[in-house]
Amino acid sequence: MLLDDRYPVLETLESRDEVNLYRVEGGLVFYFDVRTPQDKDRFYRYRAAIRRLEELGLLEAQVSAKPGRYYAFFPERPLSGRRPPKEVLAALAPFGFGPEHVAMGEDGVAYLAPWPLRLGAARRGRGGFWSRVDPGLPRARSRRRRESNWRRGA
């Protein structure tokens, strides 16, 4: 499959709320299935949040708002697993996005998702699609293991 005649799809990572997340050659695409005025409003709010982060130099993305081709492409970047800084959260708050929508890279925002991400599962070593997006994502040791090490004095 080829998105917008320019992005060869390698795999579908997730489909939720009329949005498909695809791994494409060179990055990720959040592709919106816009059918109603509410869908269109949701996409334009998402686009505005991306533009705000781009204005601040915190994100690199390509956004299309052509009829039938509503999507955001993000170049593939390694994830850091750290929390978004206050500057990012302040920029996103007016658009209704929070830390659960942001995946941080080493030098800024890697991806902005239209729905809450499940990075916690990947951080806890339980996989999820983010572990496929970036297999090098730091994983925390399980709580049970930390507690058993603490009891032994490790």
Side-chain angles (χ1 to χ4, degrees):
M1 179 166 65
L2 192 63
L3 297 177
D4 200 15
D5 297 326
R6 61 193 299 199
Y7 300 112
V9 173
L10 303 176
E11 70 178 310
T12 301
L13 295 171
E14 185 162 348
S15 295
R16 181 172 12 150
D17 302 331
E18 306 300 325
V19 179
N20 294 306
L21 173 59
Y22 298 107
R23 177 194 300 277
V24 298
E25 283 187 16
L28 299 177
V29 171
F30 287 96
Y31 203 95
F32 288 69
D33 185 12
V34 175
R35 297 177 188 204
T36 67
Q38 293 82 9
D39 293 340
K40 197 172 202 175
D41 290 343
R42 180 177 179 216
F43 173 78
Y44 282 111
R45 184 173 46 87
Y46 177 66
R47 182 180 76 164
I50 290 172
R51 283 187 174 171
R52 181 65 185 130
L53 292 175
E54 286 179 318
E55 289 168 2
L56 295 172
L58 299 169
L59 177 67
E60 180 185 344
Q62 301 283 326
V63 180
S64 171
K66 300 174 205 162
R69 296 177 180 182
Y70 296 94
Y71 66 85
F73 166 80
F74 298 92
E76 197 155 352
R77 296 173 61 188
L79 300 178
S80 70
R82 59 189 170 95
R83 299 193 59 72
K86 291 178 184 176
E87 173 186 27
V88 169
L89 300 178
L92 292 175
F95 306 103
F97 295 98
E100 66 277 8
H101 296 95
V102 178
M104 293 299 297
E106 293 298 327
D107 59 347
V109 176
Y111 311 110
L112 177 66
W115 19 251
L117 300 171
R118 292 182 232 162
L119 287 170
R123 286 187 187 130
R124 289 189 300 272
R126 293 189 187 147
F129 70 79
W130 285 108
S131 63
R132 287 185 288 151
V133 169
D134 185 359
L137 182 65
R139 294 179 179 193
R141 295 184 343 191
S142 74
R143 182 178 178 163
R144 182 178 297 152
R145 183 166 178 182
R146 284 193 311 260
E147 288 174 357
S148 67
N149 285 343
W150 177 78
R151 287 186 199 123
R152 288 189 307 216

